[in-house]
Amino acid sequence: MAKGRKTSLKAALSSQQSRLKKKQDAAHAAQHAEQQGKHAKVAQAKGKGKAVPRAPTIPFTATDRILLIGEGNFSFARALTVEPPAALEYLPARNITATAYDSEDDCYAKYPDAHAIVTVLRQKGAEVIFGVDATKLEKYPALRGRNFDKIVWNFPHAGKGITDQDRNILSNQLLLLGFLRSAASFLTTGPVPVVVKKKKPKSGESEDEGQDSASEAGTSNSVAPRGSILITLRNVTPYTLWDLPKLAKSPPPPKQANEPPNPRYIQLRSFVFDRKVWKGYEHRMTKGERVHGQGTTGVGGEDRMWQFCLKD
């Protein structure tokens, strides 16, 4: 019996020692993992400190003829004309045509700073046109027969105040389709622009999908490329539900027999639209308030610009 008890006790101790060793090994492993994690965070922080920030994408050249749509208070036109980025230092003001949907009186009433901005633009030689519907550009004598290298619409919105989300989405999709259809005939012709892709990010780095080089490369044979359309939206719901890329690349067939079909576009790229690049630019809502106002629509996302050219 004594021998049996000794054997039983030995087995119990051995089992207890084994469990203790496992606990110690687990504790050591956890401690080692924690230390490795701290080292990794320090190394990552050091790496971030040394990383060269990405140059913002400037989708224009100094020779572009630019048509701006839905300008609101004309602060983007001012940024292009008065204090442009270095790459656009020699962009002539006469190359810029800025339009607004509102009449001149309504514009000044809605945006108190617009009158002073428009005065500066005209003094510099830029063209300013009021009362322009983006879906019916062909109806304006001042635009007929003209072509542009870039047609730009920053933050388009139907501004109908529709509370039902599905109907709101539809109204803005119809607005975009109308604009893409109308603007097509005002784009310059030529070969498809060549856009130089950035290197893929290393493992662990975030990837800015579709992000391209800081400037357009033109074409391989130095011939002026065809014109392109640039549209900026918040890259967050509900704007992502508008599905801008699909509307441009694969538009739905017209609902009425007498309605012309929408042209098809090629998506050249999309990239972060950095407002800090455009000095003095303020995104204004259709009712005149600064972006976001008192609501939360669009909060949490990034500004993103999509660039399209007509498909052959």
Side-chain angles (χ1 to χ4, degrees):
M1 291 292 292
K3 186 176 180 181
R5 284 197 297 271
K6 283 184 179 180
T7 302
S8 179
L9 181 61
K10 185 177 179 181
L13 289 172
S14 177
S15 177
Q16 185 178 2
Q17 287 175 345
S18 178
R19 288 196 301 270
L20 181 61
K21 188 174 186 305
K22 286 181 179 179
K23 284 185 179 181
Q24 289 175 338
D25 290 344
H28 289 155
Q31 186 178 8
H32 179 71
E34 184 179 357
Q35 289 175 345
Q36 290 296 319
K38 288 180 179 179
H39 290 320
K41 286 182 180 180
V42 171
Q44 188 177 11
K46 288 182 178 179
K48 285 183 178 178
K50 293 179 181 178
V52 178
R54 276 186 174 177
T57 301
I58 308 296
F60 308 105
T61 70
T63 59
D64 280 342
R65 288 164 294 174
I66 303 170
L67 174 62
L68 303 178
I69 302 295
E71 265 297 274
N73 70 340
F74 291 91
S75 60
F76 188 73
R78 178 182 59 189
L80 271 175
T81 307
V82 180
E83 292 186 90
L88 303 177
E89 181 182 359
Y90 299 106
L91 173 66
R94 65 178 179 275
N95 281 22
I96 298 171
T97 298
T99 70
Y101 178 75
D102 296 308
S103 68
E104 189 162 2
D105 289 342
D106 287 345
C107 178
Y108 297 158
K110 188 183 292 186
Y111 310 103
D113 56 345
H115 186 275
I117 294 174
V118 169
T119 299
V120 171
L121 290 175
R122 287 173 167 164
Q123 288 174 346
K124 292 284 186 180
E127 183 180 19
V128 177
I129 309 174
F130 292 93
V132 175
D133 185 336
T135 66
K136 301 174 181 177
L137 299 176
E138 64 281 356
K139 291 192 173 183
Y140 299 94
L143 297 176
R144 286 177 192 159
R146 297 171 62 181
N147 295 107
F148 299 89
D149 301 296
K150 303 286 165 57
I151 300 179
V152 187
W153 197 355
N154 290 320
F155 306 103
H157 199 284
K160 293 183 177 180
I162 300 173
T163 56
D164 180 78
Q165 180 168 277
D166 290 340
R167 289 176 56 219
N168 197 322
I169 291 169
L170 178 60
S171 69
N172 283 288
Q173 287 179 323
L174 292 174
L175 177 71
L176 290 171
L177 286 169
F179 167 61
L180 291 168
R181 181 172 57 247
S182 180
S185 62
F186 292 90
L187 293 169
T188 55
T189 58
V192 174
V194 175
V195 175
V196 179
K197 297 289 183 182
K198 285 191 174 196
K199 293 180 180 179
K200 290 185 178 180
K202 296 180 181 179
S203 178
E205 294 180 349
S206 61
E207 182 174 0
D208 185 8
E209 184 180 357
Q211 177 72 48
D212 302 310
S213 61
S215 61
E216 191 174 294
T219 57
S220 57
N221 56 4
S222 298
V223 176
R226 69 186 61 176
S228 58
I229 285 178
L230 296 149
I231 299 175
T232 309
L233 289 172
R234 296 288 291 169
N235 196 30
V236 66
T237 55
Y239 310 106
T240 50
L241 299 176
W242 300 359
D243 207 354
L244 169 61
K246 186 176 181 180
L247 292 178
K249 293 184 288 186
S250 302
K255 292 185 177 181
Q256 298 179 0
N258 60 345
E259 184 180 344
N262 257 62
R264 292 179 179 268
Y265 287 85
I266 300 169
Q267 181 177 324
L268 297 173
R269 56 181 170 176
S270 75
F271 50 90
V272 172
F273 176 82
D274 190 347
R275 300 188 195 196
K276 296 190 297 293
V277 172
W278 311 103
K279 293 183 180 180
Y281 171 61
E282 290 184 318
H283 173 195
R284 295 296 184 88
M285 300 175 75
T286 52
K287 293 182 180 180
E289 300 95 338
R290 287 177 171 80
V291 66
H292 304 325
Q294 300 299 317
T296 59
T297 303
V299 173
E302 64 179 10
D303 297 332
R304 197 162 192 86
M305 180 174 268
W306 280 261
Q307 184 174 8
F308 306 96
C309 73
L310 283 169
K311 187 175 182 179
D312 289 327

